[in-house]
Amino acid sequence: MHDDTYIITGIPSDPKTSTNQVKFQISFKFDLTPNEGPCGLFFAYTQRSLWNAYAASSPFEDSNYNPQVFLVFGLKDISALRSLPPAGKFTFLWVRLGGEHESNGQGGDTSRSWNRLFVSARFVILWGSNSAFYLTLQPKLWWPFVSSDNPDLIDYVGYGELVSQIGWHYLFQSGRWQDLTLGVLLRKGTVGSYGTVQLTLNYRPPWMFTSFSFYAQAFFGYDETLLHYNQRTTTWRFGIAFDDRFNWTTGAPGHVQRPPPPP
């Protein structure tokens, strides 16, 4: 996994002027140079779409395409990221250096795109073992190259973002587990009060051999998608998310450890 992968629907901010849309996101990454050393090269891709699924012809409102290439550097071997960090210690996991492109694939007046170089890092602190609480922090800074289609984009998205997760994870003796995670994404534009707050709530039930969770998202601010980046949006949506829990490794016999999010 890379970013969240989900399909959600919900309540428009103003039912008189807005439509009830389905929002979905697909995100994944590949290790281009598989190794167990302290660094790696990755390709990632994220697609986010707003779909007017309840309209007569079910048109797509907008789709954004976001490929990335980045290097990952860690203090330990990448293989160490597949196990839990030490409890009670604020741990640095990795730093990324890379470049990415984002566009909506349209032409003419509705074309939107930009490129950016970025640096990001992830930190985590864990309390407990079988029943654990955790906090992650992932700041990201970028140097943008904005197209003439959206010259004022940085006014709304700024030069970086902070993603944080606060969660609870419980491991049953049978090897099953469940967790509840509250995620926060913050951006501050360069003009006035422009910016973004996105809240997510993710509950993974204690069902073995499943790869989905219940997912809710609240979005406040600008740039939910590129087409309307300069229009303020308030939405509440819910649905399901998908994860790669089959790739999580086992700990003690009969137990399954959930590691922090991978690089």
Side-chain angles (χ1 to χ4, degrees), residues 29-35 38-44 68-73 78 97-99 263:
K29 67 177 179 292
F30 293 107
D31 188 348
L32 298 178
T33 57
N35 68 83
C39 65
L41 177 64
F42 287 80
F43 168 80
Q68 303 180 21
V69 175
F70 54 85
L71 290 166
V72 176
F73 301 92
I78 290 177
L97 297 172

Short mmCIF file of all heavy atoms in Angstrom, two decimals, residues 29-35 38-44 68-73 78 97-99 263:
data_model
loop_
_atom_site.label_atom_id
_atom_site.label_comp_id
_atom_site.label_asym_id
_atom_site.label_seq_id
_atom_site.Cartn_x
_atom_site.Cartn_y
_atom_site.Cartn_z
N LYS A 29 2.31 0.97 -4.54
CA LYS A 29 3.71 1.27 -4.86
C LYS A 29 4.45 -0.03 -5.13
O LYS A 29 4.04 -1.12 -4.70
CB LYS A 29 4.38 2.05 -3.73
CG LYS A 29 4.57 1.31 -2.44
CD LYS A 29 5.33 2.19 -1.44
CE LYS A 29 5.50 1.47 -0.11
NZ LYS A 29 4.22 1.29 0.59
N PHE A 30 5.58 0.11 -5.86
CA PHE A 30 6.45 -1.02 -6.18
C PHE A 30 7.87 -0.69 -5.76
O PHE A 30 8.34 0.43 -5.96
CB PHE A 30 6.43 -1.33 -7.68
CG PHE A 30 5.12 -1.83 -8.18
CD1 PHE A 30 4.30 -1.02 -8.96
CD2 PHE A 30 4.69 -3.12 -7.90
CE1 PHE A 30 3.09 -1.47 -9.44
CE2 PHE A 30 3.48 -3.59 -8.39
CZ PHE A 30 2.68 -2.76 -9.16
N ASP A 31 8.55 -1.67 -5.22
CA ASP A 31 9.97 -1.56 -4.92
C ASP A 31 10.73 -1.86 -6.22
O ASP A 31 10.75 -3.00 -6.68
CB ASP A 31 10.34 -2.54 -3.81
CG ASP A 31 11.75 -2.34 -3.30
OD1 ASP A 31 12.53 -1.61 -3.95
OD2 ASP A 31 12.08 -2.92 -2.26
N LEU A 32 11.34 -0.85 -6.82
CA LEU A 32 12.01 -1.03 -8.10
C LEU A 32 13.36 -1.73 -7.97
O LEU A 32 13.87 -2.29 -8.95
CB LEU A 32 12.20 0.33 -8.78
CG LEU A 32 10.92 1.09 -9.11
CD1 LEU A 32 11.26 2.44 -9.73
CD2 LEU A 32 10.02 0.28 -10.04
N THR A 33 13.94 -1.68 -6.79
CA THR A 33 15.24 -2.33 -6.56
C THR A 33 15.17 -3.13 -5.27
O THR A 33 15.73 -2.73 -4.24
CB THR A 33 16.37 -1.29 -6.46
OG1 THR A 33 16.07 -0.35 -5.42
CG2 THR A 33 16.53 -0.54 -7.78
N PRO A 34 14.44 -4.26 -5.27
CA PRO A 34 14.23 -5.01 -4.03
C PRO A 34 15.54 -5.32 -3.32
O PRO A 34 16.46 -5.90 -3.90
CB PRO A 34 13.53 -6.28 -4.51
CG PRO A 34 12.90 -5.90 -5.81
CD PRO A 34 13.85 -4.92 -6.43
N ASN A 35 15.61 -4.94 -2.07
CA ASN A 35 16.78 -5.24 -1.26
C ASN A 35 16.40 -5.09 0.21
O ASN A 35 15.33 -4.59 0.53
CB ASN A 35 17.95 -4.31 -1.61
CG ASN A 35 17.69 -2.88 -1.21
OD1 ASN A 35 17.91 -2.51 -0.06
ND2 ASN A 35 17.21 -2.05 -2.15
N PRO A 38 19.55 -0.30 3.78
CA PRO A 38 18.97 0.89 4.41
C PRO A 38 18.32 1.86 3.44
O PRO A 38 17.85 2.91 3.86
CB PRO A 38 20.17 1.53 5.09
CG PRO A 38 21.33 1.14 4.23
CD PRO A 38 21.02 -0.25 3.75
N CYS A 39 18.30 1.56 2.14
CA CYS A 39 17.68 2.48 1.17
C CYS A 39 17.01 1.68 0.07
O CYS A 39 17.28 0.49 -0.13
CB CYS A 39 18.71 3.45 0.60
SG CYS A 39 19.99 2.67 -0.37
N GLY A 40 16.09 2.34 -0.65
CA GLY A 40 15.38 1.68 -1.73
C GLY A 40 14.82 2.71 -2.69
O GLY A 40 14.70 3.89 -2.37
N LEU A 41 14.47 2.25 -3.89
CA LEU A 41 13.89 3.09 -4.93
C LEU A 41 12.50 2.57 -5.22
O LEU A 41 12.32 1.38 -5.53
CB LEU A 41 14.75 3.06 -6.19
CG LEU A 41 14.23 3.85 -7.40
CD1 LEU A 41 14.18 5.34 -7.09
CD2 LEU A 41 15.09 3.58 -8.63
N PHE A 42 11.49 3.46 -5.15
CA PHE A 42 10.10 3.05 -5.28
C PHE A 42 9.39 3.87 -6.36
O PHE A 42 9.69 5.05 -6.58
CB PHE A 42 9.35 3.26 -3.96
CG PHE A 42 9.70 2.25 -2.90
CD1 PHE A 42 10.85 2.39 -2.14
CD2 PHE A 42 8.87 1.17 -2.64
CE1 PHE A 42 11.17 1.49 -1.16
CE2 PHE A 42 9.18 0.25 -1.67
CZ PHE A 42 10.34 0.40 -0.93
N PHE A 43 8.43 3.22 -7.02
CA PHE A 43 7.46 3.89 -7.87
C PHE A 43 6.10 3.76 -7.20
O PHE A 43 5.72 2.67 -6.74
CB PHE A 43 7.41 3.26 -9.26
CG PHE A 43 6.23 3.73 -10.08
CD1 PHE A 43 6.28 4.96 -10.72
CD2 PHE A 43 5.07 2.96 -10.18
CE1 PHE A 43 5.19 5.41 -11.46
CE2 PHE A 43 3.98 3.40 -10.92
CZ PHE A 43 4.05 4.63 -11.56
N ALA A 44 5.35 4.86 -7.14
CA ALA A 44 4.02 4.84 -6.53
C ALA A 44 3.03 5.52 -7.45
O ALA A 44 3.38 6.38 -8.27
CB ALA A 44 4.06 5.55 -5.18
N GLN A 68 4.53 8.86 -8.76
CA GLN A 68 5.69 9.32 -7.99
C GLN A 68 6.86 8.37 -8.17
O GLN A 68 6.66 7.16 -8.35
CB GLN A 68 5.37 9.39 -6.49
CG GLN A 68 4.22 10.24 -6.08
CD GLN A 68 4.02 10.21 -4.57
OE1 GLN A 68 4.92 9.88 -3.79
NE2 GLN A 68 2.81 10.53 -4.14
N VAL A 69 8.06 8.90 -8.06
CA VAL A 69 9.28 8.10 -7.93
C VAL A 69 10.06 8.69 -6.77
O VAL A 69 10.25 9.91 -6.70
CB VAL A 69 10.13 8.13 -9.22
CG1 VAL A 69 11.45 7.38 -9.00
CG2 VAL A 69 9.37 7.52 -10.38
N PHE A 70 10.50 7.84 -5.84
CA PHE A 70 11.21 8.38 -4.68
C PHE A 70 12.21 7.37 -4.12
O PHE A 70 12.06 6.15 -4.29
CB PHE A 70 10.24 8.80 -3.58
CG PHE A 70 9.26 7.74 -3.13
CD1 PHE A 70 9.61 6.80 -2.17
CD2 PHE A 70 7.98 7.70 -3.68
CE1 PHE A 70 8.70 5.84 -1.75
CE2 PHE A 70 7.07 6.73 -3.28
CZ PHE A 70 7.44 5.81 -2.31
N LEU A 71 13.22 7.90 -3.47
CA LEU A 71 14.19 7.12 -2.72
C LEU A 71 13.78 7.10 -1.26
O LEU A 71 13.31 8.12 -0.73
CB LEU A 71 15.59 7.72 -2.85
CG LEU A 71 16.26 7.62 -4.22
CD1 LEU A 71 17.47 8.55 -4.28
CD2 LEU A 71 16.69 6.18 -4.50
N VAL A 72 13.97 5.97 -0.61
CA VAL A 72 13.69 5.83 0.82
C VAL A 72 15.00 5.55 1.54
O VAL A 72 15.77 4.68 1.13
CB VAL A 72 12.70 4.69 1.10
CG1 VAL A 72 12.52 4.50 2.61
CG2 VAL A 72 11.36 4.98 0.45
N PHE A 73 15.25 6.30 2.60
CA PHE A 73 16.44 6.10 3.43
C PHE A 73 15.99 5.87 4.88
O PHE A 73 15.17 6.63 5.40
CB PHE A 73 17.36 7.32 3.39
CG PHE A 73 17.86 7.67 2.01
CD1 PHE A 73 17.17 8.56 1.23
CD2 PHE A 73 19.01 7.09 1.51
CE1 PHE A 73 17.61 8.89 -0.04
CE2 PHE A 73 19.46 7.40 0.24
CZ PHE A 73 18.76 8.31 -0.54
N ILE A 78 15.54 -1.86 5.50
CA ILE A 78 14.13 -1.76 5.17
C ILE A 78 13.34 -2.93 5.75
O ILE A 78 12.18 -2.79 6.13
CB ILE A 78 13.95 -1.68 3.64
CG1 ILE A 78 14.46 -0.32 3.14
CG2 ILE A 78 12.51 -1.90 3.22
CD1 ILE A 78 14.43 -0.15 1.65
N LEU A 97 12.90 11.05 -0.57
CA LEU A 97 13.25 12.14 -1.47
C LEU A 97 12.75 11.74 -2.86
O LEU A 97 13.07 10.65 -3.34
CB LEU A 97 14.76 12.36 -1.51
CG LEU A 97 15.45 12.79 -0.22
CD1 LEU A 97 16.96 12.78 -0.40
CD2 LEU A 97 14.98 14.18 0.19
N GLY A 98 11.97 12.62 -3.51
CA GLY A 98 11.45 12.20 -4.79
C GLY A 98 10.78 13.31 -5.57
O GLY A 98 10.85 14.49 -5.21
N GLY A 99 10.15 12.91 -6.65
CA GLY A 99 9.41 13.83 -7.50
C GLY A 99 8.08 13.21 -7.87
O GLY A 99 7.94 11.98 -7.93
N PRO A 263 7.36 1.61 4.06
CA PRO A 263 7.97 2.79 3.46
C PRO A 263 7.22 3.28 2.23
O PRO A 263 6.53 2.55 1.59
CB PRO A 263 9.37 2.29 3.08
CG PRO A 263 9.25 0.83 2.97
CD PRO A 263 8.22 0.42 3.95
#
